[in-house]
Amino acid sequence: MTTETTRLADMANAIRALSMDAVQAANSGHPGMPMGMADVATVLFDEYLKFDPADPHWDDRDRFVLSAGHGSMLIYSLLHLSGYAHPTMDEIRNFRQLGSPCAGHPENFLLDGVECTTGPLGQGLAMAVGMALAERHLNAKYGDDLVDHRTWVIAGDGCLMEGINHEAVGLAGHLGLGRMIVLWDDNNITIDGSVELSSSEDVEARYRASKWHTVRCDGHDPADIRRALDEAIADPRPSLVACKTVIGKGAPNKQGTSATHGAPLGAEEIEAARKELGWTAEPFVIPGDIADAWKKTGERGAAAHQEWQQRFDADEDRAAAYTAGIKLPGADAGAVLQDYVRGLAAEPKKVATRKASEMALGPLTAAFPNMIGGSADLTGSNNTKTKSTGPITAGDYEGSYVYYGIREFGMAAAMNGMALHGGIAPYGGTFLIFSDYCRNAVRLSALQQVGVTYVFTHDSIGLGEDGPTHQPVEQVMSLRLIPNLNVMRPCDTIETAECWAIALANEKTPSVLALSRQNLPQLRGEGDEAWDAGANKSAKGAYRLKSAEAARKVILIATGSEVELACDVAKSLEADGIGADVISMPCMELFEAQDASYKEDLLPNVAPSEILRVSIEAGVTLGWERYTMANGLNIGLDRFGASAPAEQLFERFGFTVDAIVPQIKAKLGE
Ligand SMILES: Cc1ncc(C[n+]2csc(CCOP(=O)(O)OP(=O)(O)O)c2C)c(N)n1
Ligand SMILES: [Mg+2]
């Protein structure tokens, strides 16, 4: 072996040793994948990846995504060995233990260098599509001098088998994202055993059919890996590099079998592997010359980083334009909407909240060119496109609207990738009912703390004739179950604008806007003539829209399209001398975050016999008891809808003054 081959083999074996020892110490984890892909990852980091451990946030770094997140010890080893401040060796020793940033699967919020949270197979690769798209978009705007990086992915058989892979690959191929390169750990093994048990697919043919370039290599031969990577870089299409590997490579008795996938190798096999690899160092000790080799690898990118900084500094105007252009809207969104909202106060508009969203997006997308919108083939229904948002195409990445096609999951994951890349505020639409198609990506938005805005329209039986397959019943409430997700269901034009301002202001919390298909009257306006961001009532999650006139006996709590109904119910009750507050609650999560006195003011803690609390929402009632309490009244829909015009459905399912008022009176004993 040449010294160069020995150097690379030693470096790869350091990954193998750390991986098997950390998994053994934790008595849980996945040694097979890191051991199998150690050689490929070593070549990638040593010669190809543009990165600088001294500044993990350097904008023009290559993005590296470990889509096969179960192989987390691979990325922890790479980060540690190449000189990132974290993880430290102690943190690796505490792999999978409470307090260690070396979590079971890589979490973007725990470690610099972990670009996204992976583990749910397929989504890392799909997020990488968004990262690669963000790079091309910013490159089109600011040029090669400032934006010129690649997106590298390590993916396993599982990532390529998942349905989302089809969506991601289709989108990347269509958009010609040639700077995305997927290194497939083609080891022919999954948990159950051989891939042949479950798949006969010609993966490469599928990729080629989707306008990808494919190439194969021996994943244990550095020269062959280099050849394939060079070919992938040279090809203008996105590339799939099928790296033929042996899972668990180096463990003499278990390698090549699913036994190495997700269990410690055991003391005996680790002993045998140490012999096989010629690795004599103690667990968690890296011999000096190998540590030095890795350190050099980590220092390689400093020069490129410096050159980038010089280019950045050389042109002040360009640097300023870039810095301003990648700044997220944040709290400025409220200011941008001010004149628009004041205009609504002066001149109310009766429109669907999906239309109100489009109206708010008008000034927002004009003011913030880095808002990248899109829809999963429902642009005209989701009202997500504005005059300012031209399409992004393979020939022109400068636009700011993505035609995602019928790829809800792919869209949501790509939006996560764009947000994680940085410099972009993504939003995208589909019907609320199909939020279930992309739900795990919505969950990952929340877990990863990224500011993605989901424009989910057609939010109830109010969509009418399309029927129960399309009518959300449980979706709004079930989205509320996801931590760190603001689920907002505005009732009119002004609340919709307020919700947009909230969504953009919360850069670490994603938002769902649940919007109506049907027109809704504008209930707000009075007192909003001088609206500004500080007057955003929706920001408290709930507020009193109307106060009881007669002695208060009822508090009506409603969201979205049912706030109008709550107002009508209140009017009817007042006519009979029963005082009723109406509380609009566009966002439960934000209301929960308010202090006790604000909550107590809205929902005083008195017995239902004194003040009855009633919720009205055209969806499942489960969960509303939190606000209406044991003896409250919950008006909702605990069954599937039906196919008919919306007005008939609201009538049929009891969302009328005539149906609700008697129930309230009965509860009050009147
Ligand atoms: C969406 C999803 N489904 C199932 C799993 C559980 N899981 C983790 S790894 C794995 C097998 C993956 O096989 P492969 O990608 O070939 O990994 P290898 O065994 O080669 O390391 C499965 C089913 C998961 N993490 N995500
Ligand atoms: Mg596999």
Side-chain angles (χ1 to χ4, degrees):
M1 282 209 288
T2 66
T3 47
E4 169 63 0
T5 316
T6 314
R7 181 182 73 92
L8 289 171
D10 284 346
M11 288 169 74
N13 285 341
I15 296 173
R16 293 190 171 96
L18 281 180
S19 299
M20 61 186 188
D21 288 338
V23 171
Q24 188 69 24
N27 197 23
S28 103
H30 304 76
M33 187 269 166
M35 294 177 79
M37 281 298 273
D39 299 306
V40 174
T42 299
V43 172
L44 174 66
F45 271 61
D46 191 50
E47 293 169 44
Y48 290 88
L49 190 75
K50 182 168 75 168
F51 72 118
D52 182 2
D55 182 3
H57 300 287
W58 169 30
D59 285 0
D60 201 33
R61 69 192 183 278
D62 283 357
R63 303 305 196 263
F64 170 65
V65 172
L66 184 70
S67 190
H70 57 280
S72 56
M73 266 315 300
L74 178 64
I75 193 165
Y76 301 149
S77 303
L78 290 164
L79 296 179
H80 173 77
L81 292 166
S82 66
Y84 283 78
H86 295 276
T88 62
M89 192 59 96
D90 268 353
E91 288 166 345
I92 288 182
R93 236 187 256 273
N94 282 313
F95 176 54
R96 294 188 155 224
Q97 307 309 305
L98 205 57
S100 170
C102 298
H105 294 81
E107 315 281 7
N108 66 303
F109 48 92
L110 292 181
L111 278 177
D112 288 337
V114 173
E115 302 284 358
C116 59
T117 293
T118 54
L121 296 176
Q123 279 194 74
L125 192 155
M127 287 190 273
V129 173
M131 293 181 192
L133 181 56
E135 190 272 343
R136 281 297 86 188
H137 173 74
L138 296 174
N139 170 273
K141 279 182 166 165
Y142 304 107
D144 289 347
D145 272 0
L146 298 187
V147 185
D148 184 19
H149 50 270
R150 296 181 200 287
T151 304
W152 301 90
V153 179
I154 288 185
D157 301 299
C159 290
L160 271 49
M161 226 184 268
E162 288 288 351
I164 193 176
N165 187 254
H166 177 77
E167 298 182 21
V169 166
L171 194 58
H174 175 71
L175 291 171
L177 301 174
R179 299 169 70 79
M180 171 168 178
I181 301 177
V182 174
L183 311 176
W184 168 26
D185 180 15
D186 182 14
N187 62 17
N188 206 43
I189 291 288
T190 67
I191 292 177
D192 278 355
S194 162
V195 167
E196 271 87 61
L197 288 170
S198 59
S199 187
S200 313
E201 183 179 301
D202 182 341
V203 173
E204 290 148 88
R206 174 166 64 83
Y207 271 66
R208 281 194 296 272
S210 307
K211 291 195 161 183
W212 281 58
H213 155 256
T214 67
V215 58
R216 302 197 62 81
C217 71
D218 175 344
H220 300 301
D221 175 354
D224 205 40
I225 295 166
R226 261 182 228 121
R227 175 194 54 79
L229 296 191
D230 289 340
E231 193 184 309
I233 287 173
D235 196 283
R237 293 166 291 180
S239 290
L240 175 73
V241 181
C243 308
K244 201 70 206 156
T245 61
V246 176
I247 190 170
K249 171 90 172 164
N253 306 301
K254 291 189 173 179
Q255 65 180 21
T257 73
S258 60
T260 66
H261 164 93
L265 296 179
E268 211 173 298
E269 182 69 359
I270 288 179
E271 195 53 46
R274 281 190 140 69
K275 277 210 187 85
E276 170 92 6
L277 299 170
W279 191 266
T280 51
E282 292 296 304
F284 304 111
V285 173
I286 306 296
D289 55 332
I290 301 175
D292 285 347
W294 266 112
K295 197 159 165 279
K296 282 210 185 77
T297 288
E299 288 163 356
R300 188 176 52 81
H305 186 183
Q306 226 168 35
E307 284 159 24
W308 180 87
Q309 192 63 48
Q310 281 161 4
R311 292 194 298 273
F312 186 87
D313 294 339
D315 186 337
E316 268 179 41
D317 291 347
R318 184 178 64 182
Y322 171 81
T323 305
I326 62 164
K327 187 175 175 297
L328 298 179
D332 295 343
V336 164
L337 288 169
Q338 178 176 294
D339 289 345
Y340 163 67
V341 176
R342 289 180 182 181
L344 289 170
E347 212 178 310
K349 298 256 185 324
K350 179 175 181 168
V351 295
T353 47
R354 64 184 168 128
K355 179 71 184 168
S357 168
E358 181 188 316
M359 286 156 54
L361 279 170
L364 289 171
T365 53
F368 306 113
N370 61 345
M371 285 182 72
I372 294 196
S375 168
D377 202 44
L378 288 167
T379 295
S381 300
N382 302 145
N383 300 62
T384 33
K385 195 163 182 321
T386 69
K387 274 198 295 224
S388 318
T389 55
I392 289 181
T393 64
D396 179 6
Y397 295 108
E398 210 174 333
S400 50
Y401 195 81
V402 185
Y403 288 105
Y404 286 104
I406 306 93
R407 300 182 177 107
E408 296 82 9
F409 199 5
M411 171 178 74
M415 291 200 292
N416 282 338
M418 281 188 259
L420 288 159
H421 177 278
I424 284 166
Y427 69 92
T430 182
F431 287 152
L432 176 60
I433 195 73
F434 302 129
S435 61
D436 288 338
Y437 270 53
C438 57
R439 188 179 172 94
N440 202 264
V442 177
R443 184 176 193 274
L444 276 194
S445 305
L447 179 62
Q448 296 182 102
Q449 304 170 16
V450 290
V452 169
T453 306
Y454 293 94
V455 180
F456 290 152
T457 69
H458 297 60
D459 68 348
S460 76
I461 49 167
L463 66 84
E465 294 85 345
D466 272 346
T469 54
H470 283 52
Q471 292 162 353
V473 175
E474 74 279 23
Q475 278 69 27
V476 170
M477 193 56 89
S478 78
L479 285 164
R480 289 179 180 132
L481 297 173
I482 299 178
N484 192 39
L485 176 67
N486 285 335
V487 180
M488 300 191 261
R489 189 164 184 257
C491 72
D492 73 352
T493 48
I494 291 186
E495 273 196 7
T496 304
E498 289 183 335
C499 289
W500 260 114
I502 296 163
L504 292 169
N506 285 281
E507 291 173 3
K508 286 187 172 281
T509 299
S511 297
V512 164
L513 302 179
L515 304 171
S516 75
R517 177 195 180 214
Q518 73 276 26
N519 286 345
L520 303 175
Q522 187 177 309
L523 302 171
R524 284 273 298 281
E526 241 182 85
D528 290 318
E529 300 80 9
W531 189 93
D532 62 25
N536 186 330
K537 292 185 176 169
S538 302
K540 287 200 152 71
Y543 61 94
R544 192 175 290 116
L545 180 66
K546 174 205 157 304
S547 295
E549 290 154 31
R552 182 172 64 181
K553 292 222 175 113
V554 176
I555 297 175
L556 298 156
I557 313 162
T559 75
S561 50
E562 284 68 66
V563 178
E564 176 194 10
L565 174 60
C567 289
D568 292 344
V569 168
K571 205 189 240 173
S572 168
L573 292 170
E574 297 277 0
D576 290 339
I578 302 169
D581 281 358
V582 175
I583 289 172
S584 179
M585 189 178 274
C587 182
M588 279 187 183
E589 295 81 8
L590 291 172
F591 179 64
E592 282 304 309
Q594 301 311 307
D595 59 31
S597 69
Y598 183 79
K599 291 185 190 168
E600 169 72 17
D601 177 57
L602 246 54
L603 299 172
N605 195 11
V606 296
S609 54
E610 279 182 63
I611 301 179
L612 175 70
R613 299 185 192 177
V614 182
S615 66
I616 313 180
E617 183 173 72
V620 293
T621 56
L622 181 71
W624 274 108
E625 308 85 348
R626 169 179 276 184
Y627 300 112
T628 56
M629 302 190 297
N631 288 307
L633 182 62
N634 302 115
I635 308 294
L637 190 63
D638 291 306
R639 50 156 290 172
F640 293 118
S643 187
E647 276 159 41
Q648 290 178 29
L649 292 174
F650 281 120
E651 173 103 31
R652 161 75 180 77
F653 294 118
F655 293 94
T656 64
V657 173
D658 288 350
I660 295 171
V661 168
Q663 294 179 66
I664 292 174
K665 286 185 174 167
K667 275 271 183 193
L668 290 172
E670 301 216 1

